[in-house]
């Protein structure tokens, strides 16, 4: 690029006008206009078919083939009336991506004419050529193909481009032998497992009428916007999603003047465009604001059932990227696009509940609700204590490593933040010494007492906990901005299913001894707290002290990199957890490990190759031109008897030499091929390759501070972060 084109980009960007998205539209007109919702199905399906479909949806089962033709035909007519000519089975492979297989409704007839057709079997089952999706070896040992099938709990919708409309059908993706090849299948299974265990506990608590228990999710998405003119001329942003080089700007985020400040107009217009599209797709966008770093923003929807929320989250990422392009931006979903500047996370707000008992993680205002809340909360605490390493593993990837275990964002040690009031209550239950605040006779008696209202803790704002209770839900803050929320939701639902099974056994044991219900509840919570209370932590999660205490005194795992965290998936107790809950078979779990490990290695490899490329073909020539320019001038002046300070020449020459030698070392380090295991391979990239990349960066960033700005080939941090 160079200065001239960088300056031109600046002129062009300054001249950019916000791209209007049409007059404001009323929410009623937009809302779910492009979704084949239950109410639309009710309108266009025969009564009996609709009833049967609704049952299927509520039970989360596969579509009944006997009604599939009718449903498919109604869906097709609706889509065609809105301009669709193609349909796509949308699925979620083991990457964080969304995949689609498109097919036309067209069918040619023997007389040469063409009609539109969409048979039930095409709705129920599709056959993408899945052989190129990562499968961790599952398919090679079974069948070459997998198939997709409509997940009836997630409605079909329309996606529009300037040139046409496509009917999109959310599907599961499985091998012919039934193994999950995607993220949706285990998510649905985990909801089922959690439902079974939760229902049993609710019945033990005396509830006869128990509707299916589902988990909810509201995901807060952080992202950066960079003008496309800058982003597209940075090969690192283009291919790796983050800057591999870049000197920190003189002004970073230290003024705190961006957070909740006024949103720049061009950005606001972009956000409004995204929100309009989200509304049409029935995604309840709710909050938008600037984030801590310059150029960083957040969007959060109102929470929904986990399965739908997960599909909607994938769509939101797609919409953010696509719409940014229209507005001349590139939307960066990477966890750490700019070194030294705050990274991006995706807070996964999660709870469980149903239509009869409501939100089970809400303290509520009746004694019965409080008892229920404490039991479910205790089950979550046990889950995090026992399966914290799993929670770390499901958010492990090369990009999230820049947040977790680094010096920012939630730490890589999983702990639970409850807020001081709730923490105190649980501790008192653990020791059996309840203060007057919670009891009248030294005993918590749910029949007569209610908990004092649990205020949302002010300390909650310190944000150093990876997993915090926030009033009526838990917020999993360590999830990365580019990640699918399915993995975290699967882990949370599955570990809760396991904990609730244990809670159910304990309760049953107490009750069968004739213990009165309230006492049984307290005894169970006490037992859980004594075994698992060590995972509760209300202090500063970033502090060195905590890192020491957590590991040495509390026995919690600190897994700083993905190379440390991913092997957790191969441990026996994790295999058992997934097997006994029926969420993933040993083979499915193993394949996941292989896929994630491979992705980890590949993403660092791509970055390392980019470091070598950019350093050799961009930075080195710039430094040499700079030296040539200056050397000529200095030489000329010396001939005239004028001597100059040569510090800059020396520094640039030294840095260039040092960079060059580090680059060639990195290059040869990348040729190593003999690894004893996947684990060793990952470790090599985490502990050898990454530090070598950082070492090159050190020289390059130092050069940026010395080399003439008009020769510098990459748009700078200052330009990318501050010019909108
Ligand atoms: P904050 O910044 O304080 O965390 P936000 O309003 O940005 O709050 O985001 C909170 C998120 O939590 C929203 O997506 C909201 O819908 C979600 N949420 C609220 N209640 C629940 C719940 N019971 N289950 C899941 N998510 C919830
Ligand atoms: Mg939040």
């Amino acid at each position: 690029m160079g200065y001239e084109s960088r300056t031109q980009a600046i002129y062009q960007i300054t001249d950019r006008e916000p791209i209007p998205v049409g007059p404001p539209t009323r929410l009623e007109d937009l809302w779910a206009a492009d979704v084949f919702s239950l109410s639309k199905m009710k309108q266009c399906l025969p009564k009996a078919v609709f009833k049967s479909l609704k049952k299927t949806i509520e039970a989360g089962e596969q579509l009944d083939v006997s009604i599939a033709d009718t449903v498919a035909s109604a869906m097709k007519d609706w889509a065609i009336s809105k301009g669709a000519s193609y349909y796509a089975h949308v699925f979620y492979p083991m990457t964080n991506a969304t995949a689609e297989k498109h097919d036309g409704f067209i069918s040619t007839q023997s007389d040469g004419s063409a009609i539109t057709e969409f048979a039930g079997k095409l709705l129920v089952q599709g056959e993408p050529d899945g052989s190129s999706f990562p499968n961790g070896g599952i398919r090679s040992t079974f069948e070459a193909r997998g198939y997709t099938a409509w997940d009836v709990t997630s409605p079909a919708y329309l996606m529009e481009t300037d040139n046409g409309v496509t009917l999109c059908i959310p599907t599961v993706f499985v091998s012919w032998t039934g193994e999950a090849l995607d993220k949706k299948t285990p998510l649905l299974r985990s909801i089922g497992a959690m439902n079974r265990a939760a229902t049993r506990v609710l019945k033990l608590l005396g509830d006869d009428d128990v509707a299916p228990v589902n988990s909810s999710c509201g995901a807060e998405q952080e992202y950066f916007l960079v003008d496309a003119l800058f982003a597209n001329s940075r090969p690192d942003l283009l291919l790796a999603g983050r800057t591999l080089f870049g000197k920190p700007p003189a002004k970073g985020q230290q003024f705190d003047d961006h957070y909740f400040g006024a949103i720049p107009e061009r950005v606001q217009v972009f956000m409004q465009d995204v929100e309009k599209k989200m509304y049409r797709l029935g995604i309840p966008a709710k909050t938008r604001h600037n984030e801590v770093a310059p150029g960083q923003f957040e969007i959060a929807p109102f929470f929904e059932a986990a399965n739908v929320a997960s599909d909607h989250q994938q769509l939101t990422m797609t919409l953010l990227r696509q719409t940014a392009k229209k507005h001349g931006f590139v939307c960066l979903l990477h966890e750490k696009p700019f070194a030294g500047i705050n990274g991006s996370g995706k807070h996964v707000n999660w709870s469980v509940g149903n239509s009869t008992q409501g939100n089970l993680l809400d303290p509520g205002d009746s004694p019965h609700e409080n008892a229920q809340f404490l039991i479910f909360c205790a089950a979550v605490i046990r889950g995090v204590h026992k399966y914290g390493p799993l929670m770390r593993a499901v958010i492990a990837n090369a990009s999230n490593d820049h947040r977790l275990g680094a010096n920012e964002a939630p730490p890589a040690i999983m702990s639970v933040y409850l807020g001081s009031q709730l923490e105190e209550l649980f501790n008192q239950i653990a020791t059996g010494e309840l203060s007057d605040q919670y009891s009248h006779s030294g005993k918590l008696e749910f029949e007569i007492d209610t908990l004092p209202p649990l205020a949302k803790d002010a300390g909650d704002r310190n944000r150093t906990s990876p997993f915090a209770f926030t009033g009526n839900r838990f917020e999993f803050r360590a999830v990365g901005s580019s990640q699918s929320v399915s993995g975290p939701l699967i882990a949370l639902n599955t570990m809760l299913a396991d904990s609730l099974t244990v809670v159910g056994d304990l309760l049953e044991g107490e009750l069968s001894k004739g213990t009165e219900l309230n006492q049984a509840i307290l005894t169970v919570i006490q037992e859980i707290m004594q075994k698992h209370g060590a995972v509760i932590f209300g202090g500063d999660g970033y502090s060195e002290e905590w890192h020491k205490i957590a590991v040495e005194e509390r026995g919690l795992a600190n897994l700083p990199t993905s190379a440390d965290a991913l092997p957790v998936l191969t441990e026996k107790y994790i295999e058992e957890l997934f097997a006994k809950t029926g969420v993933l078979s040993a083979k499915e779990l193993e394949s996941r490990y292989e896929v994630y490990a491979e992705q980890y290695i590949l993403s660092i490899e791509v970055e390392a190759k980019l470091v070598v490329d950019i350093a050799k073909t961009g930075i080195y020539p710039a430094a040499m031109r700079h030296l040539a320019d200056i050397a000529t001038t200095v030489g000329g002046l010396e001939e005239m008897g004028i001597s100059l300070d040569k510090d800059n020449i020396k520094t640039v020459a030294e840095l260039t030499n040092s960079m060059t030698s580090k680059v060639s070392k990195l290059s040869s380090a990348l040729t190593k091929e003999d690894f004893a295991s996947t684990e060793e391979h990952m470790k090599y990239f985490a502990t050898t390759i990454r530090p070598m990349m950082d070492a090159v960066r050190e020289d390059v960033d130092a050069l940026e501070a010395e080399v003439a700005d008009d020769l510098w080939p990459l748009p700078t941090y200052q330009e990318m972060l501050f010019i909108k």
Side-chain angles (χ1 to χ4, degrees):
M1 212 191 181
Y3 184 70
E4 221 170 289
S5 37
R6 272 168 44 214
T7 316
Q8 270 168 14
I10 294 171
Y11 289 147
Q12 281 187 49
I13 295 166
T14 322
D15 280 346
R16 279 198 203 273
E17 291 287 336
I19 295 167
V21 290
T25 324
R26 291 186 323 163
L27 182 62
E28 306 93 276
D29 300 331
L30 286 177
W31 181 249
D34 293 340
V35 183
F36 195 53
S37 60
L38 263 185
S39 61
K40 284 196 191 99
M41 290 190 235
K42 193 170 180 186
Q43 276 166 26
C44 59
L45 288 173
K47 248 199 179 120
V49 173
F50 177 74
K51 248 179 123 176
S52 156
L53 179 69
K54 198 162 167 255
K55 257 202 191 141
T56 315
I57 291 175
E58 276 158 8
E61 280 160 15
Q62 240 202 26
L63 189 61
D64 179 352
V65 267
S66 65
I67 63 163
D69 278 332
T70 318
V71 177
S73 153
M75 197 186 272
K76 184 202 75 177
D77 290 345
W78 169 77
I80 288 180
S81 77
K82 304 277 248 169
S85 54
Y86 267 72
Y87 69 94
H89 274 204
V90 176
F91 56 103
Y92 310 91
M94 288 184 232
T95 59
N96 289 309
T98 306
E100 295 165 1
K101 163 88 182 332
H102 293 235
D103 280 291
F105 287 127
I106 189 168
S107 169
T108 51
Q109 306 298 100
S110 52
D111 64 359
S113 63
I115 57 163
T116 60
E117 205 174 54
F118 188 47
K121 64 176 197 294
L122 298 174
L123 173 61
V124 175
Q125 202 153 300
E127 251 183 82
D129 175 15
S131 49
S132 50
F133 290 100
N135 59 65
I138 276 192
R139 250 164 317 149
S140 52
T141 48
F142 291 89
E143 264 268 10
R145 295 160 305 159
Y147 69 89
T148 52
W150 182 30
D151 161 21
V152 289
T153 61
S154 190
Y157 57 91
L158 302 172
M159 281 296 265
E160 207 176 323
T161 67
D162 288 344
N163 289 332
V165 178
T166 306
L167 168 68
C168 295
I169 302 160
T171 62
V172 293
F173 181 35
V174 287
S175 74
W176 285 105
T177 41
E179 263 94 13
L181 297 170
D182 67 346
K183 297 215 174 199
K184 189 188 261 293
T185 307
L187 176 57
L188 293 172
R189 290 179 189 156
S190 74
I191 295 168
M194 187 276 297
N195 170 36
R196 287 188 295 277
T199 302
R200 171 176 171 233
V201 168
L202 288 173
K203 293 209 158 142
L204 287 169
L205 292 178
D207 293 314
D208 294 325
D209 184 16
V210 180
V213 181
N214 202 339
S215 69
S216 56
C217 164
E220 302 162 55
Q221 173 78 55
E222 292 179 338
Y223 60 94
F224 278 85
L225 288 177
V226 171
D227 194 281
L229 286 170
F230 291 140
N232 290 333
S233 47
R234 295 225 25 158
D236 46 3
L237 279 186
L238 218 52
L239 296 188
R242 75 172 178 114
T243 55
L244 297 167
F245 303 121
K247 174 175 81 70
K251 178 184 169 179
Q253 61 197 47
Q254 64 273 50
F255 290 103
D256 274 337
D257 53 358
H258 186 68
Y259 194 52
F260 282 121
I263 300 172
E265 193 190 354
R266 215 181 124 206
V267 175
Q268 187 163 339
V269 170
F270 152 81
M271 287 174 165
Q272 284 159 332
D273 198 359
V274 172
E275 286 150 11
K276 242 184 182 176
K277 290 177 181 160
M278 287 172 75
Y279 287 155
R280 293 192 69 89
L281 293 169
I283 310 174
K286 180 109 175 83
T287 51
R288 63 161 106 109
H289 58 79
N290 288 347
E291 260 304 323
V292 179
Q296 190 187 27
F297 308 92
E298 177 182 302
I299 183 164
F302 197 76
F303 68 93
E304 301 178 277
N307 173 35
V308 175
S310 176
D311 290 358
H312 281 172
Q313 221 292 308
Q314 293 293 116
L315 256 177
T316 302
M317 291 197 281
T318 305
L319 289 176
L320 283 170
R321 286 201 183 101
Q322 279 177 357
T323 313
K325 217 169 170 180
K326 284 220 144 149
H327 291 258
F329 288 121
V330 167
C331 176
L332 303 174
L333 295 174
H334 192 284
E335 281 74 3
K336 191 77 178 172
F338 302 98
I341 304 277
N342 251 43
S344 298
K346 176 142 54 201
H347 296 174
V348 172
N349 293 273
W350 166 83
S351 188
V352 292
N354 64 7
S355 57
T356 40
Q357 278 71 35
N359 181 350
L360 297 165
L361 290 172
D362 191 328
D365 42 33
S366 76
H368 185 77
E369 282 170 329
N370 285 329
Q372 185 180 278
F373 162 72
L374 290 174
I375 278 281
F376 275 79
C377 198
V380 174
I381 291 167
R382 175 191 176 275
V384 183
H385 186 239
K386 186 135 197 242
Y387 301 109
L390 173 65
M391 287 170 70
R392 173 64 184 93
V394 296
I395 52 168
N397 67 15
S399 47
N400 209 20
D401 276 6
H402 293 284
R403 299 171 64 232
L404 313 176
N407 34 12
E408 74 159 285
I413 304 167
M414 293 299 141
S415 63
V416 180
Y417 176 86
L418 289 178
S420 48
Q421 202 182 356
L422 195 54
E423 182 175 337
E424 191 190 344
L425 172 59
F426 270 109
N427 283 336
Q428 290 181 11
I429 297 178
T431 54
E433 284 164 29
L434 283 160
S435 69
D436 291 347
Q437 195 190 358
Y438 300 113
S439 73
H440 296 303
S441 52
K443 262 169 75 182
L444 188 65
E445 290 188 8
F446 296 112
E447 273 158 16
I448 42 170
D449 294 343
T450 53
L451 299 179
L454 295 165
K456 202 169 163 174
D457 207 276
D460 165 47
R461 283 280 145 202
N462 79 26
R463 302 270 148 149
T464 66
S465 171
F467 193 70
F469 180 69
T470 52
N472 63 355
R473 62 186 185 274
F474 280 90
E475 187 172 332
F476 192 3
R477 292 174 177 153
V479 183
S481 52
S482 72
Q483 298 178 319
S484 154
V485 297
S486 292
L489 291 170
I490 293 165
L492 294 174
N493 289 333
T494 306
M495 69 188 209
L496 182 59
D498 181 61
S499 282
L500 288 172
T501 305
V502 169
V503 163
D505 292 347
L506 290 172
L507 266 180
E508 228 167 48
E510 282 299 320
L511 295 173
S512 70
K513 279 192 275 179
T515 316
E516 174 264 338
L517 181 64
N518 282 329
Q519 190 49 51
I521 291 171
L522 272 185
T523 308
V524 170
I525 298 175
Q526 185 172 40
E527 190 171 333
I528 289 184
M529 279 302 297
Q530 285 169 356
K531 271 199 191 148
H532 304 286
V535 79
I536 298 169
F537 178 64
D540 180 1
Y542 297 171
S543 70
E544 264 172 49
E545 193 196 347
W546 167 238
H547 282 70
K548 219 169 120 73
I549 294 175
V551 176
E552 288 168 17
E553 290 170 29
R554 308 258 192 123
L556 303 179
N558 182 10
L559 304 168
T561 74
S562 297
D564 306 301
L566 284 174
V568 169
L569 298 181
T570 64
E571 287 188 35
K572 200 78 203 149
Y573 78 108
I574 298 297
E575 189 188 311
E576 279 164 12
L577 167 73
F578 282 118
K580 69 185 166 197
T581 48
V583 174
L584 289 170
S585 68
K587 190 173 291 130
E588 287 170 325
L589 183 63
E590 192 193 327
S591 78
R592 259 149 235 265
Y593 170 64
E594 290 299 331
V595 169
Y596 301 150
E598 191 185 337
Q599 280 170 1
Y600 177 74
I601 293 163
L602 281 178
S603 13
I604 301 182
E605 194 178 9
V606 165
E607 289 186 349
K609 285 181 174 162
L610 275 166
V611 163
V612 172
D613 268 8
I614 300 171
K616 276 177 143 170
T617 63
I619 310 300
Y620 179 81
M624 289 325 245
R625 281 189 201 122
H626 172 88
L627 287 176
D629 258 22
I630 296 192
T632 316
T633 313
V634 170
L637 286 171
E638 285 197 335
E639 270 172 31
M640 293 157 66
I642 304 171
S643 89
L644 276 180
D645 181 356
K646 299 185 194 64
D647 278 0
N648 170 269
I649 301 184
K650 269 191 224 141
T651 312
V652 172
E654 274 166 25
L655 286 170
T656 309
N657 280 337
S658 157
M659 175 190 83
T660 309
S661 95
K662 288 176 184 171
V663 164
S664 57
K665 275 189 203 129
L666 175 57
S667 264
S668 52
L670 281 171
T671 58
K672 182 172 159 70
E673 268 172 0
D674 48 324
F675 297 99
S677 64
T678 309
E679 218 175 316
E680 192 195 296
H681 199 171
M682 280 197 289
K683 273 258 172 243
Y684 179 72
F685 273 81
T687 55
T688 304
I689 298 294
R690 272 241 154 112
M692 293 179 91
M693 291 164 56
D694 291 343
V696 176
R697 178 178 189 142
E698 227 174 89
D699 290 341
V700 173
D701 290 358
L703 277 169
E704 191 182 335
E706 300 289 335
V707 168
D709 189 42
D710 60 338
L711 296 172
W712 196 252
L714 301 169
T716 64
Y717 269 32
Q718 192 163 306
E719 289 161 349
M720 290 184 287
L721 289 168
F722 290 98
I723 300 177
K724 291 264 136 35

